[in-house]
């Protein structure tokens, strides 16, 4: 839709349209005018084939290799990329952002400066480096008792979590409550959070860029809570936070050490409730892991 058409909409209609785009998975902004990518490619090829700045042109005979180095190309990976400028700003950072080293450094600095859970919650809410924040309705930080012996870290919020601003409140949350209740735990005796603080559009799997930007906050979260036992749910957390390889089905139920600097916590990987809803046969594996958690707490 063109910006002129958007200007004719009422605030209510505009809010409904944005909600539709978010639910449909739209998570980036486009320019009003089409961009000619063919022209951009032609310009880039011309720049690469031209002489290198500050050096004389080199003649290359047929069959010989050009001794001139190729121009550097942007690297893409966790914490790297470029920033797409937008007319809107949030806390001094552009709304339309592709994660880069600046956004990652900002996340690390904000997380490191937080000395209490209240300060960390505020830092996460104010952080504008992750584009998920602008497609989500709320920031989902935590729930439960921060003094609890057990801290549970899930992957990312779903639809219900996004609406209520609390982790594990949808169908998956109800199942998790029943699972924990079977071994005598509840939301007054555990602490719940996620690695990702904003719902990915359409409940898709978070990208490596999004994980890299949220990870400093999640690490600081664990340091501040300092639980006796850490329970991590699903592949997103075992791979994105604990750097474990392989599938969660091969890792669940195996105690491991989670290290941050000179500190260590015993961690138990488990299947997340969403996987149990999709494959009820795995509930027996989850029950085995819950019994292992209870035995560790009783010991």
């Amino acid at each position: 839709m063109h910006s002129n058409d958007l200007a004719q909409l009422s605030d209510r209609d505009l809010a409904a349209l944005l909600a539709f785009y978010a639910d449909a998975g739209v998570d980036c902004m486009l320019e009003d005018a089409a961009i000619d990518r063919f022209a951009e490619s032609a310009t880039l090829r011309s720049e690469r084939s031209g002489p290198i700045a500050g050096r004389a042109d080199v003649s290359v005979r047929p069959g010989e290799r050009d001794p001139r180095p190729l121009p550097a190309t942007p690297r893409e990976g966790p914490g790297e990329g470029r920033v797409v400028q937008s007319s809107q700003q949030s806390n001094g950072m552009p709304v339309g952002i592709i994660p880069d080293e600046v956004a990652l450094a900002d996340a690390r600095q904000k997380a490191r400066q937080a000395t209490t859970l209240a300060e960390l919650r505020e830092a996460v809410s104010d952080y504008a480096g992750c584009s998920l924040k602008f497609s989500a309705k709320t920031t989902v930080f935590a729930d439960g008792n921060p003094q609890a012996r057990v801290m549970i870290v899930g992957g990312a919020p779903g639809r219900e979590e996004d609406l209520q601003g609390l982790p594990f409140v949808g169908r998956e949350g109800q199942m998790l409550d029943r699972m924990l209740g079977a071994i005598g735990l509840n939301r007054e005796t555990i602490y719940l959070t996620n690695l990702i603080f904003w719902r990915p559009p359409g409940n898709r799997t978070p990208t490596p860029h999004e994980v890299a930007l949220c990870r400093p906050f999640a690490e600081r979260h664990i340091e501040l809570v300092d639980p006796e036992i850490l329970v991590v749910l699903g592949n997103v957390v075992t791979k994105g936070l604990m750097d474990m390889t392989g599938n969660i089905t091969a890792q669940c139920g195996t105690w491991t050490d989670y290290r941050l600097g000179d500190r260590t916590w015993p961690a138990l990987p488990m299947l997340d409730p969403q996987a149990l809803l999709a494959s009820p046969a795995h509930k027996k594996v989850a029950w085995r892991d819950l019994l292992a958690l209870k035995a560790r707490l009783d010991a």
Side-chain angles (χ1 to χ4, degrees), residues 12-295:
R12 181 177 179 180
D13 290 339
L14 183 58
L17 178 62
L18 292 176
F20 168 77
Y21 284 157
D23 291 339
V26 177
D27 58 356
C28 62
M29 296 175 292
L30 302 178
E31 300 292 342
D32 287 339
I35 300 176
D36 190 343
R37 300 299 182 187
F38 294 102
E40 284 188 354
S41 299
T43 302
L44 182 59
R45 286 196 301 270
S46 175
E47 292 175 352
R48 288 181 175 178
S49 62
I52 300 176
R55 292 183 56 182
D57 195 9
V58 178
S59 299
V60 181
R61 298 178 181 178
E64 292 183 351
R65 184 177 64 85
D66 192 337
R68 296 171 297 179
L70 292 174
T73 57
R75 296 170 56 196
E76 293 184 1
E80 296 176 348
R82 62 190 179 90
V83 177
V84 180
Q85 296 296 334
S86 166
S87 58
Q88 291 180 290
Q89 298 285 325
S90 177
N91 297 324
M93 298 185 68
V95 168
I97 282 184
I98 297 177
D100 66 348
E101 193 61 34
V102 175
L104 182 57
D106 186 48
R108 290 170 176 162
Q109 180 182 10
K110 290 182 182 299
R112 188 167 51 248
Q113 290 175 343
T115 60
T116 65
L117 289 176
E119 291 179 358
L120 183 64
R121 180 191 290 268
E122 183 178 357
V124 171
S125 298
D126 291 344
Y127 183 61
C130 182
S131 58
L132 288 179
K133 177 179 180 179
F134 306 103
S135 60
K137 292 179 173 62
T138 58
T139 297
V140 181
F141 186 72
D143 191 21
N145 180 6
Q147 306 300 323
R149 300 171 65 190
V150 180
M151 180 177 184
I152 298 179
V153 182
R159 181 178 182 275
E160 290 301 318
E161 288 78 11
D162 186 36
L163 292 174
Q164 299 187 40
L166 294 171
F168 297 102
V169 293
R171 291 181 61 217
E172 295 85 357
Q174 295 171 7
M175 169 165 282
L176 182 61
D177 288 342
R178 293 194 297 269
M179 291 167 57
L180 296 172
I183 58 171
L185 298 177
N186 55 49
R187 298 205 176 214
E188 295 180 358
T189 55
I190 58 172
Y191 187 73
L192 294 162
T193 187
N194 284 307
L195 170 57
I196 306 297
F197 298 97
W198 303 279
R199 178 199 179 195
N203 290 349
R204 62 166 173 76
T205 301
T207 67
H209 285 167
E210 293 158 355
V211 170
L213 291 174
C214 291
R215 178 169 174 165
F217 296 108
E219 291 175 339
R220 187 59 176 154
H221 207 164
I222 295 171
E223 289 178 328
L224 292 174
V225 174
D226 192 17
E228 183 179 324
I229 294 174
L230 187 65
V231 175
V232 292
L233 304 179
N235 282 315
V236 171
V237 190
T238 56
K239 294 180 179 180
L241 182 65
M242 303 189 66
D243 298 321
M244 299 175 70
T245 58
N247 194 279
I248 183 63
T249 54
Q251 298 161 341
C252 58
T254 302
W255 287 95
T256 185
D257 288 335
Y258 177 65
R259 294 184 176 87
L260 281 176
D262 58 352
R263 302 172 67 181
T264 303
W265 294 267
L268 179 65
M270 290 181 56
L271 294 168
D272 61 57
Q274 184 177 9
L276 298 178
L277 289 172
S279 302
H282 287 154
K283 290 182 180 180
K284 60 182 179 181
V285 177
W287 177 241
R288 177 204 66 189
D289 298 343
L290 287 170
L291 293 178
L293 174 60
K294 178 174 174 54

